[in-house]
Tab-separated table of all heavy atoms in Angstrom:
chain	number	residue	atom	x	y	z
A	400	GLU	N	-68.261	38.378	19.532
A	400	GLU	CA	-69.474	37.794	18.966
A	400	GLU	C	-69.813	38.449	17.639
A	400	GLU	O	-69.601	39.656	17.446
A	400	GLU	CB	-70.656	37.935	19.936
A	400	GLU	CG	-70.482	37.125	21.215
A	400	GLU	CD	-71.712	37.174	22.096
A	400	GLU	OE1	-72.718	37.797	21.681
A	400	GLU	OE2	-71.673	36.596	23.208
A	401	ALA	N	-70.324	37.629	16.723
A	401	ALA	CA	-70.691	38.131	15.398
A	401	ALA	C	-71.803	37.270	14.829
A	401	ALA	O	-72.057	36.150	15.303
A	401	ALA	CB	-69.473	38.100	14.464
A	402	ARG	N	-72.476	37.793	13.819
A	402	ARG	CA	-73.479	37.031	13.088
A	402	ARG	C	-72.941	36.799	11.690
A	402	ARG	O	-72.752	37.732	10.907
A	402	ARG	CB	-74.807	37.788	13.042
A	402	ARG	CG	-75.375	38.120	14.409
A	402	ARG	CD	-76.849	38.432	14.322
A	402	ARG	NE	-77.616	37.220	14.096
A	402	ARG	CZ	-78.815	37.183	13.500
A	402	ARG	NH1	-79.351	38.288	13.042
A	402	ARG	NH2	-79.451	36.049	13.328
A	403	TRP	N	-72.692	35.505	11.347
A	403	TRP	CA	-72.105	35.169	10.062
A	403	TRP	C	-73.050	34.324	9.245
A	403	TRP	O	-73.879	33.585	9.793
A	403	TRP	CB	-70.766	34.426	10.262
A	403	TRP	CG	-69.634	35.388	10.547
A	403	TRP	CD1	-69.736	36.703	10.804
A	403	TRP	CD2	-68.253	35.057	10.595
A	403	TRP	NE1	-68.511	37.253	11.020
A	403	TRP	CE2	-67.563	36.263	10.899
A	403	TRP	CE3	-67.522	33.897	10.403
A	403	TRP	CZ2	-66.187	36.323	11.017
A	403	TRP	CZ3	-66.138	33.955	10.524
A	403	TRP	CH2	-65.481	35.157	10.817
A	404	LYS	N	-72.843	34.414	7.913
A	404	LYS	CA	-73.723	33.704	6.985
A	404	LYS	C	-73.052	32.423	6.497
A	404	LYS	O	-71.879	32.404	6.139
A	404	LYS	CB	-74.047	34.590	5.797
A	404	LYS	CG	-75.097	34.009	4.854
A	404	LYS	CD	-75.318	34.923	3.652
A	404	LYS	CE	-75.913	36.242	4.084
A	404	LYS	NZ	-76.186	37.119	2.903
A	405	ARG	N	-73.827	31.318	6.509
A	405	ARG	CA	-73.336	30.050	5.992
A	405	ARG	C	-73.396	30.027	4.469
A	405	ARG	O	-73.911	30.936	3.830
A	405	ARG	CB	-74.208	28.911	6.543
A	405	ARG	CG	-73.969	28.574	7.995
A	405	ARG	CD	-75.030	27.603	8.508
A	405	ARG	NE	-75.355	26.565	7.544
A	405	ARG	CZ	-74.696	25.412	7.425
A	405	ARG	NH1	-73.671	25.160	8.214
A	405	ARG	NH2	-75.049	24.524	6.523
A	406	LYS	N	-72.853	28.943	3.906
A	406	LYS	CA	-72.887	28.772	2.453
A	406	LYS	C	-74.315	28.740	1.934
A	406	LYS	O	-74.610	29.254	0.847
A	406	LYS	CB	-72.160	27.473	2.070
A	406	LYS	CG	-72.136	27.187	0.577
A	406	LYS	CD	-71.415	25.875	0.282
A	406	LYS	CE	-71.394	25.592	-1.216
A	406	LYS	NZ	-70.714	24.310	-1.515
A	407	ASP	N	-75.233	28.136	2.738
A	407	ASP	CA	-76.626	28.031	2.311
A	407	ASP	C	-77.436	29.297	2.559
A	407	ASP	O	-78.637	29.341	2.302
A	407	ASP	CB	-77.316	26.847	2.996
A	407	ASP	CG	-77.263	26.942	4.527
A	407	ASP	OD1	-76.949	28.028	5.060
A	407	ASP	OD2	-77.538	25.912	5.184
A	408	GLY	N	-76.778	30.332	3.092
A	408	GLY	CA	-77.459	31.605	3.299
A	408	GLY	C	-78.020	31.812	4.695
A	408	GLY	O	-78.434	32.925	5.026
A	409	ASN	N	-78.055	30.763	5.499
A	409	ASN	CA	-78.576	30.912	6.854
A	409	ASN	C	-77.590	31.694	7.725
A	409	ASN	O	-76.372	31.554	7.592
A	409	ASN	CB	-78.832	29.545	7.488
A	409	ASN	CG	-80.005	28.839	6.843
A	409	ASN	OD1	-80.968	29.482	6.419
A	409	ASN	ND2	-79.933	27.519	6.745
A	410	ILE	N	-78.155	32.499	8.627
A	410	ILE	CA	-77.336	33.313	9.526
A	410	ILE	C	-77.185	32.578	10.850
A	410	ILE	O	-78.149	32.072	11.411
A	410	ILE	CB	-77.979	34.703	9.759
A	410	ILE	CG1	-78.153	35.432	8.423
A	410	ILE	CG2	-77.123	35.529	10.722
A	410	ILE	CD1	-76.857	35.763	7.729
A	411	ILE	N	-75.936	32.521	11.352
A	411	ILE	CA	-75.694	31.906	12.657
A	411	ILE	C	-74.933	32.895	13.537
A	411	ILE	O	-74.236	33.785	13.035
A	411	ILE	CB	-74.892	30.587	12.528
A	411	ILE	CG1	-73.550	30.845	11.869
A	411	ILE	CG2	-75.684	29.534	11.793
A	411	ILE	CD1	-72.634	29.633	11.846
A	412	ASP	N	-75.095	32.737	14.842
A	412	ASP	CA	-74.340	33.539	15.811
A	412	ASP	C	-73.089	32.756	16.204
A	412	ASP	O	-73.167	31.552	16.501
A	412	ASP	CB	-75.184	33.812	17.048
A	412	ASP	CG	-76.324	34.762	16.765
A	412	ASP	OD1	-76.055	35.942	16.528
A	412	ASP	OD2	-77.494	34.298	16.777
A	413	VAL	N	-71.926	33.436	16.193
A	413	VAL	CA	-70.685	32.769	16.545
A	413	VAL	C	-69.923	33.619	17.556
A	413	VAL	O	-70.079	34.840	17.624
A	413	VAL	CB	-69.797	32.514	15.308
A	413	VAL	CG1	-70.448	31.529	14.363
A	413	VAL	CG2	-69.481	33.821	14.581
A	414	SER	N	-69.107	32.911	18.355
A	414	SER	CA	-68.175	33.569	19.264
A	414	SER	C	-66.772	33.251	18.779
A	414	SER	O	-66.437	32.078	18.562
A	414	SER	CB	-68.386	33.066	20.699
A	414	SER	OG	-67.412	33.598	21.565
A	415	LEU	N	-65.932	34.258	18.587
A	415	LEU	CA	-64.630	34.086	17.939
A	415	LEU	C	-63.487	34.282	18.928
A	415	LEU	O	-63.545	35.131	19.819
A	415	LEU	CB	-64.467	35.095	16.804
A	415	LEU	CG	-65.510	35.036	15.682
A	415	LEU	CD1	-65.272	36.182	14.711
A	415	LEU	CD2	-65.441	33.705	14.969
A	416	THR	N	-62.459	33.467	18.722
A	416	THR	CA	-61.170	33.670	19.391
A	416	THR	C	-60.113	33.779	18.293
A	416	THR	O	-59.935	32.844	17.506
A	416	THR	CB	-60.835	32.508	20.335
A	416	THR	OG1	-61.813	32.440	21.362
A	416	THR	CG2	-59.459	32.707	20.974
A	417	VAL	N	-59.438	34.918	18.219
A	417	VAL	CA	-58.439	35.177	17.170
A	417	VAL	C	-57.072	35.228	17.839
A	417	VAL	O	-56.882	35.940	18.832
A	417	VAL	CB	-58.729	36.505	16.448
A	417	VAL	CG1	-57.709	36.729	15.328
A	417	VAL	CG2	-60.153	36.520	15.910
A	418	SER	N	-56.095	34.439	17.297
A	418	SER	CA	-54.752	34.423	17.881
A	418	SER	C	-53.708	34.401	16.769
A	418	SER	O	-53.954	33.869	15.681
A	418	SER	CB	-54.579	33.207	18.800
A	418	SER	OG	-54.831	32.011	18.089
A	419	PRO	N	-52.529	34.989	17.014
A	419	PRO	CA	-51.479	35.040	15.984
A	419	PRO	C	-50.723	33.719	15.872
A	419	PRO	O	-50.701	32.919	16.800
A	419	PRO	CB	-50.564	36.157	16.488
A	419	PRO	CG	-50.730	36.111	17.978
A	419	PRO	CD	-52.162	35.716	18.227
A	420	VAL	N	-50.067	33.499	14.709
A	420	VAL	CA	-49.214	32.332	14.478
A	420	VAL	C	-47.848	32.841	14.035
A	420	VAL	O	-47.749	33.714	13.147
A	420	VAL	CB	-49.809	31.402	13.398
A	420	VAL	CG1	-48.840	30.273	13.081
A	420	VAL	CG2	-51.143	30.836	13.868
A	421	PHE	N	-46.754	32.324	14.660
A	421	PHE	CA	-45.392	32.769	14.372
A	421	PHE	C	-44.575	31.600	13.841
A	421	PHE	O	-44.860	30.442	14.138
A	421	PHE	CB	-44.725	33.315	15.645
A	421	PHE	CG	-45.477	34.446	16.287
A	421	PHE	CD1	-46.413	34.180	17.283
A	421	PHE	CD2	-45.266	35.752	15.885
A	421	PHE	CE1	-47.103	35.204	17.883
A	421	PHE	CE2	-45.956	36.786	16.490
A	421	PHE	CZ	-46.887	36.526	17.483
A	422	ASP	N	-43.537	31.924	13.025
A	422	ASP	CA	-42.628	30.875	12.563
A	422	ASP	C	-41.525	30.673	13.592
A	422	ASP	O	-41.540	31.279	14.676
A	422	ASP	CB	-42.057	31.214	11.174
A	422	ASP	CG	-41.222	32.490	11.169
A	422	ASP	OD1	-40.890	32.991	12.287
A	422	ASP	OD2	-40.910	32.986	10.078
A	423	ASP	N	-40.545	29.824	13.254
A	423	ASP	CA	-39.489	29.496	14.209
A	423	ASP	C	-38.633	30.702	14.561
A	423	ASP	O	-37.988	30.742	15.617
A	423	ASP	CB	-38.594	28.379	13.651
A	423	ASP	CG	-39.361	27.061	13.530
A	423	ASP	OD1	-40.393	26.927	14.227
A	423	ASP	OD2	-38.928	26.189	12.759
A	424	ASP	N	-38.593	31.685	13.685
A	424	ASP	CA	-37.788	32.881	13.926
A	424	ASP	C	-38.579	33.968	14.642
A	424	ASP	O	-38.071	35.086	14.827
A	424	ASP	CB	-37.229	33.438	12.601
A	424	ASP	CG	-36.304	32.434	11.927
A	424	ASP	OD1	-35.608	31.698	12.677
A	424	ASP	OD2	-36.279	32.384	10.685
A	425	GLY	N	-39.834	33.660	15.013
A	425	GLY	CA	-40.634	34.638	15.742
A	425	GLY	C	-41.341	35.641	14.857
A	425	GLY	O	-41.898	36.622	15.360
A	426	ARG	N	-41.318	35.408	13.543
A	426	ARG	CA	-41.998	36.331	12.645
A	426	ARG	C	-43.468	35.972	12.499
A	426	ARG	O	-43.823	34.793	12.460
A	426	ARG	CB	-41.320	36.316	11.263
A	426	ARG	CG	-39.903	36.887	11.281
A	426	ARG	CD	-39.252	36.731	9.928
A	426	ARG	NE	-39.175	35.317	9.547
A	426	ARG	CZ	-38.588	34.875	8.444
A	426	ARG	NH1	-38.043	35.742	7.593
A	426	ARG	NH2	-38.551	33.580	8.173
A	427	ARG	N	-44.329	37.001	12.429
A	427	ARG	CA	-45.766	36.779	12.265
A	427	ARG	C	-46.033	36.283	10.843
A	427	ARG	O	-45.705	36.950	9.872
A	427	ARG	CB	-46.517	38.104	12.514
A	427	ARG	CG	-48.036	38.005	12.390
A	427	ARG	CD	-48.625	37.150	13.477
A	427	ARG	NE	-50.054	37.088	13.378
A	427	ARG	CZ	-50.893	37.712	14.204
A	427	ARG	NH1	-50.403	38.441	15.183
A	427	ARG	NH2	-52.180	37.586	14.065
A	428	VAL	N	-46.636	35.063	10.745
A	428	VAL	CA	-46.891	34.494	9.423
A	428	VAL	C	-48.384	34.320	9.166
A	428	VAL	O	-48.785	33.872	8.091
A	428	VAL	CB	-46.188	33.133	9.268
A	428	VAL	CG1	-44.662	33.312	9.316
A	428	VAL	CG2	-46.650	32.155	10.341
A	429	GLY	N	-49.186	34.627	10.134
A	429	GLY	CA	-50.634	34.468	9.934
A	429	GLY	C	-51.341	34.391	11.275
A	429	GLY	O	-50.880	34.958	12.272
A	430	GLY	N	-52.452	33.692	11.297
A	430	GLY	CA	-53.209	33.576	12.542
A	430	GLY	C	-54.206	32.444	12.479
A	430	GLY	O	-54.383	31.805	11.433
A	431	SER	N	-54.821	32.187	13.599
A	431	SER	CA	-55.864	31.160	13.651
A	431	SER	C	-57.133	31.772	14.240
A	431	SER	O	-57.075	32.688	15.070
A	431	SER	CB	-55.405	29.971	14.512
A	431	SER	OG	-55.283	30.355	15.873
A	432	VAL	N	-58.253	31.247	13.794
A	432	VAL	CA	-59.564	31.713	14.262
A	432	VAL	C	-60.344	30.491	14.738
A	432	VAL	O	-60.484	29.516	13.985
A	432	VAL	CB	-60.343	32.433	13.144
A	432	VAL	CG1	-61.726	32.855	13.670
A	432	VAL	CG2	-59.562	33.636	12.643
A	433	ILE	N	-60.769	30.534	15.974
A	433	ILE	CA	-61.650	29.486	16.514
A	433	ILE	C	-63.046	30.088	16.640
A	433	ILE	O	-63.227	31.098	17.329
A	433	ILE	CB	-61.168	28.973	17.884
A	433	ILE	CG1	-59.758	28.404	17.770
A	433	ILE	CG2	-62.123	27.922	18.434
A	433	ILE	CD1	-59.177	27.979	19.112
Side-chain angles (χ1 to χ4, degrees):
E400 294 185 3
R402 302 199 73 206
W403 279 9
K404 187 183 295 182
R405 286 171 41 87
K406 180 181 180 181
D407 57 15
N409 290 326
I410 301 295
I411 60 173
D412 290 290
V413 294
S414 174
L415 301 175
T416 297
V417 182
S418 57
V420 174
F421 303 92
D422 62 12
D423 293 339
D424 298 326
R426 293 175 300 184
R427 181 67 178 253
V428 295
S431 67
V432 178
I433 301 175

